[in-house]
Amino acid sequence: GDSVTQMEGPVTLSEEAFLTINCTYTATGYPSLFWYVQYPGEGLQLLLKATKADDKGSNKGFEATYRKETTSFHLEKGSVQVSDSAVYFCALSDRESGNTPLVFGKGTRLSVIA
Amino acid sequence: DAGVIQSPRHEVTEMGQEVTLRCKPISGHDYLFWYRQTMMRGLELLIYFNNNVPIDDSGMPEDRFSAKMPNASFSTLKIQPSEPRDSAVYFCASSPGTSGEDTQYFGPGTRLTVL
């Protein structure tokens, strides 16, 4: 079945450092890809998404590019802030099967220190 | 729009008691999902509905769990009887369901503690 693998955390960075969180996927169809963020004590919020190969999703300085050839959707940010401390989830949705539930990675906890 | 609304936000109960979690999806969304989040297992899908009809409940742990969606604006997840291993954060999410729009919008979650 479909699956998502993302790098294990926790990740600890200093403010203004460069961030990469790796995410790869396995899917039988042609999925949509998502990054969700969960701040402490809150629900998941959509951070960005991409629906086809070579699409780049971006939001709040975060970017991720849908790479079909490497089945990857790595999350990047050029300069992290303390407020970016959260848990980040990579996910896919197999659109060819209709509006199906998201398949999530296990999450990567990011801590940014001043 | 108010987003997905869940209640209660926190629930503490004793083993053996019945627990009911509630969810109001975003108006106009055709899909509703219930997820459970624990440290050990991460995010797991429990059940989802399309136009109020349950589509896949294979993630429901056992017969103690049941979910209903009596109308487009309300869903419940019931645990009876509850057990300590049910302690988790339960999320409800909804999705528009229109072609190509499969983003899911999550509620704030209900943190359940079963003593």
Side-chain angles (χ1 to χ4, degrees):
Chain A
D2 296 349
S3 66
V4 173
T5 303
Q6 60 181 105
M7 63 186 286
E8 302 222 357
V11 174
T12 302
L13 295 174
S14 298
E15 209 166 21
E16 299 184 2
F18 185 86
L19 168 71
T20 300
I21 301 178
N22 290 336
C23 172
T24 57
Y25 67 90
T26 302
T28 52
Y30 194 169
S32 294
L33 301 174
F34 304 82
W35 278 100
Y36 280 81
V37 59
Q38 184 178 28
Y39 299 102
E42 299 184 11
L44 279 72
Q45 304 174 24
L46 178 67
L47 181 59
L48 53 85
K49 67 179 284 189
T51 59
K52 61 182 188 293
D54 300 324
D55 264 2
K56 178 185 285 188
S58 61
N59 185 25
K60 301 181 181 180
F62 290 89
E63 292 182 341
T65 301
Y66 191 144
R67 300 289 188 199
K68 194 169 188 292
E69 65 276 12
T70 55
T71 62
S72 65
F73 193 55
H74 304 321
L75 182 68
E76 296 183 337
K77 186 175 185 183
S79 177
V80 294
Q81 305 300 313
V82 172
S83 57
D84 294 326
S85 299
V87 181
Y88 293 81
F89 293 90
C90 186
L92 69 81
S93 173
D94 185 357
R95 291 172 297 148
E96 291 187 1
S97 302
N99 202 329
T100 58
L102 294 173
V103 176
F104 285 94
K106 293 190 179 299
T108 302
R109 182 176 300 277
L110 170 66
S111 296
V112 180
I113 54 177
Chain B
D1 199 320
V4 176
I5 299 172
Q6 291 186 246
S7 64
R9 292 293 310 274
H10 302 274
E11 176 80 36
V12 180
T13 190
E14 293 190 346
M15 183 173 62
Q17 296 298 305
E18 177 179 295
V19 175
T20 299
L21 311 182
R22 298 173 176 79
C23 175
K24 176 179 169 55
I26 293 172
S27 177
H29 283 193
D30 292 337
Y31 285 81
L32 184 139
F33 306 85
W34 282 101
Y35 293 89
R36 178 171 70 174
Q37 185 180 36
T38 61
M39 289 293 292
M40 293 296 293
R41 301 172 69 90
L43 272 162
E44 306 172 277
L45 175 74
L46 299 177
I47 185 171
Y48 77 101
F49 296 83
N50 178 22
N51 291 321
N52 313 336
V53 176
I55 302 301
D56 183 354
D57 65 354
S58 60
M60 297 284 263
E62 48 198 273
D63 292 345
R64 298 184 298 106
F65 285 68
S66 62
K68 295 182 180 179
M69 192 165 187
N71 57 61
S73 60
F74 183 65
S75 176
T76 59
L77 177 68
K78 185 177 293 186
I79 309 172
Q80 166 63 16
S82 58
E83 297 182 2
R85 61 194 167 118
D86 302 331
S87 297
V89 181
Y90 291 81
F91 290 106
C92 176
S94 69
S95 179
T98 54
S99 177
E101 177 49 87
D102 47 4
T103 299
Q104 293 181 22
Y105 299 84
F106 282 73
T110 296
R111 181 174 296 277
L112 173 64
T113 303
V114 183
L115 303 175

